[in-house]
């Protein structure tokens, strides 16, 4: 029977299907848990209902489903957390596993580096948290911060407009003050946690075939100078409204400008020469570690 792994983040819900040999990425959902929690000071009822309904819909494909959550779910007060976990178990029919920031880092790094031989840095960016790990035949340094793109969007809401008035440098300075950064250096920065390859292919920024290492889940790359130049364009001249009109999930693009600033802050801190944007998340590590 096929196994389905659902990873619920502060913004993106990622869904993967495993047939015992291959992992197939299914269509996920954008549910703004973190943004709405900041507005309501509690989980929004419609968000919880949408998540539960999505699990019920997946039962038509497989009954072997593993559901886990990160970021915002780690921050819930104990009473609210217990209420949510009990309700999810009752209505969705499966337990909801809250993954620690350290475990999220470990599981995602495994997937991002499983075919890498040299030293790399793995960036895992989310709505409410950021994990960074320097890997060289094992994790050599790991730094975590309870800050993500939704925190940036609260400070600079115009980043979600067609063209923002806030500059890239303003956003980078804001992030630099809040983000814990590694001391180790690495030539290659792998972007993981979901959505980075999707962003590269649909945003209008330039990329080419990944010649740094062979991994079917990491097919593209760009050099740091190209990424810097194109991030500037993404702030100054690339229309976010035009992108939203042509993609299937326009809500997902809400915090993408904030994410591009995070990427540059980390890349500059580690002295990266190349960036590899991937859609890799925890699923490889979950399956490998037999967490399920």
């Amino acid at each position: 029977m096929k196994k389905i792994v659902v990873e619920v983040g502060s913004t993106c819900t990622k869904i993967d299907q495993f047939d015992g040999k291959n992992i197939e990425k299914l269509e996920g959902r954008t549910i703004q848990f973190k943004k709405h929690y900041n507005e309501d000071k509690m989980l929004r009822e419609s968000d919880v209902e949408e998540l539960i309904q999505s699990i019920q819909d997946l039962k038509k494909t497989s009954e072997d489903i593993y559901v886990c959550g990160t970021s915002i779910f780690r921050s819930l007060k104990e009473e609210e957390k217990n209420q949510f976990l009990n309700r999810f178990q009752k209505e969705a029919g499966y337990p909801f596993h809250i993954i620690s920031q350290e475990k999220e880092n470990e599981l995602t790094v495994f997937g991002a580096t499983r075919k890498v031989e040299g030293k790399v840095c793995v960036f895992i960016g989310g709505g409410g948290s950021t994990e960074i790990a320097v890997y060289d035949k094992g994790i050599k340094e790991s730094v975590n911060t309870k800050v993500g793109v939704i925190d940036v969007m609260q400070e600079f809401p115009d980043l979600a407009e067609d063209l923002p008035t806030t500059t890239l440098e303003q956003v980078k300075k804001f992030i630099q003050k809040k983000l814990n950064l590694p001391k180790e250096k690495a030539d290659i920065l792998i972007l993981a946690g979901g959505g980075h390859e999707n962003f590269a292919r649909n945003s209008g920024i330039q990329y080419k075939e990944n010649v740094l290492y062979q991994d079917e889940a990491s097919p593209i790359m760009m050099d740091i100078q190209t990424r810097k130049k194109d991030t500037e364009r993404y702030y100054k001249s690339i229309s976010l409204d035009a992108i939203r009109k042509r993609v299937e999930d326009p809500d997902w693009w809400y915090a993408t400008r904030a994410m591009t600033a995070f990427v540059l802050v980390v890349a500059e801190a580690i002295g990266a020469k190349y960036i590899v944007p991937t859609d890799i998340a925890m699923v490889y590590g979950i399956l490998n570690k037999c967490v399920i």
Side-chain angles (χ1 to χ4, degrees):
M1 179 183 291
K2 294 179 180 179
K3 182 186 298 292
I4 292 178
V5 177
V6 182
E7 303 174 38
V8 188
S10 290
T11 303
C12 299
T13 296
K14 298 174 280 290
I15 305 171
D16 292 277
Q17 182 174 270
F18 181 61
D19 63 6
K21 182 178 180 181
N22 299 307
I23 296 173
E24 177 188 0
K25 189 171 295 296
L26 304 182
E27 184 177 353
R29 292 177 181 242
T30 298
I31 307 177
Q32 297 281 3
F33 280 106
K34 171 79 172 182
K35 179 175 181 288
H36 295 159
Y37 192 91
N38 288 345
E39 294 170 355
D40 301 350
K41 307 307 178 188
M42 60 185 297
L43 290 175
R44 185 169 292 185
E45 176 66 19
S46 58
D47 291 345
V48 176
E49 289 178 351
E50 183 176 355
L51 176 61
I52 291 172
Q53 183 60 53
S54 71
I55 302 303
Q56 293 173 343
D57 292 342
L58 286 172
K59 289 181 183 179
K60 301 171 185 176
T61 303
S62 173
E63 292 188 356
D64 189 356
I65 301 175
Y66 174 83
V67 188
C68 61
T70 60
S71 192
I72 181 62
F73 299 99
R74 294 191 286 252
S75 303
L76 297 178
K77 295 178 181 178
E78 201 63 27
E79 182 178 354
E80 184 178 16
K81 182 186 298 183
N82 290 334
Q83 288 177 348
F84 168 75
L85 294 176
N86 291 334
R87 177 183 177 183
F88 187 90
Q89 173 80 59
K90 180 179 179 181
E91 297 184 23
Y94 299 92
F96 187 98
H97 305 271
I98 298 178
I99 306 296
S100 71
Q101 198 167 20
E102 293 74 21
K103 180 59 69 173
E104 179 183 6
N105 192 341
E106 176 189 333
L107 295 172
T108 308
V109 169
F110 172 84
T113 62
R114 72 196 191 287
K115 296 189 177 182
V116 172
E117 294 184 1
K119 186 178 185 181
V120 298
C121 179
V122 180
F123 164 82
I124 307 163
S129 65
T130 302
E131 295 82 41
I132 307 168
V134 178
Y135 176 93
D136 189 3
K137 297 181 177 62
I139 296 177
K140 301 301 181 184
E141 183 182 9
S142 179
V143 290
N144 302 325
T145 314
K146 293 181 180 179
V147 172
V149 293
I150 300 303
D151 300 286
V152 173
M153 296 306 296
Q154 282 188 294
E155 184 74 14
F156 307 109
D158 64 292
L159 295 182
E161 296 176 3
D162 185 37
L163 291 173
T165 55
T166 299
T167 68
L168 173 59
E169 285 305 313
Q170 284 177 290
V171 181
K172 286 172 62 181
K173 287 179 180 178
F174 176 81
I175 294 170
Q176 287 165 346
K177 292 178 181 179
K178 295 182 175 294
L179 191 63
N180 297 323
L181 293 164
K183 295 179 181 178
E184 291 272 347
K185 305 297 181 182
D187 287 346
I188 300 172
L189 175 62
I190 301 174
L191 311 182
H196 296 283
E197 182 186 344
N198 176 55
F199 169 79
R201 292 188 182 277
N202 291 285
S203 62
I205 70 172
Q206 301 174 76
Y207 59 87
K208 58 185 180 181
E209 180 185 355
N210 182 6
V211 296
L212 301 171
Y213 58 93
Q214 296 298 311
D215 183 352
E216 67 279 1
S218 307
I220 63 174
M221 61 173 281
M222 68 276 296
D223 62 79
I224 186 62
Q225 294 306 321
T226 297
R227 183 72 184 215
K228 286 181 178 180
K229 180 183 66 176
D230 284 350
T231 301
E232 286 283 0
R233 287 200 304 118
Y234 195 55
Y235 272 69
K236 294 179 178 179
S237 60
I238 295 180
S239 167
L240 196 53
D241 286 349
I243 293 173
R244 289 180 176 127
K245 288 178 181 178
R246 68 172 184 262
V247 297
E248 295 181 354
D249 191 359
D251 291 343
W252 181 85
W253 291 80
Y254 167 74
T256 50
R257 284 200 177 100
M259 185 62 80
T260 61
F262 270 93
V263 170
L264 287 190
V265 168
V266 176
E268 291 167 3
I270 67 167
K273 297 178 181 177
Y274 305 100
I275 292 179
V276 180
T278 80
D279 290 342
I280 293 172
M282 290 191 294
V283 61
Y284 291 93
I286 288 173
L287 294 170
N288 179 69
K289 297 293 185 181
C290 298
V291 173
I292 296 176

